[in-house]
Amino acid sequence: MFYKLCLLVITFGVIGCCMLGLRQQRLEAVHQATVAQRNILLHSRDLAKLRTDIAAMSTPEKIELAAATRFGPLMAINVQTDSPASPIAPNGTTIVQAKSITKPAQAR
């Protein structure tokens, strides 16, 4: 009878330890999910800040200046100018009056 009682106490002890282990694993999983959600929220805030910074730095004037500096003079398609200067100079200051090229009417 004593051995049965000892076996019963040990069995309940092992079952209790297993249940505590499962509870601890569940708490760790909840903690990791919470940390992941917090990181996602922080990254989305950083992304929104970066998007506003990029939008503030990329005005059309700055983009035109960067393109003219990197690629040289820019011309619109089907536009002929009176001077050899470009409408968008590398320093971003030159603006040239352009006139549209018109094709003569063909006689039939």
Side-chain angles (χ1 to χ4, degrees), residues 25-76:
Q25 288 177 350
R26 188 181 74 230
L27 288 176
E28 287 178 14
V30 169
H31 172 70
Q32 290 175 355
T34 304
V35 168
Q37 288 177 349
R38 185 180 67 219
N39 289 339
I40 290 170
L41 180 63
L42 292 175
H43 285 304
S44 65
R45 287 181 185 168
D46 291 342
L47 179 63
K49 184 184 180 309
L50 288 173
R51 283 183 177 171
T52 56
D53 291 345
I54 290 170
M57 290 187 289
S58 60
T59 61
E61 295 82 14
K62 290 182 181 179
I63 292 173
E64 288 175 0
L65 177 62
T69 304
R70 183 170 182 183
F71 301 115
L74 301 176
M75 294 290 290

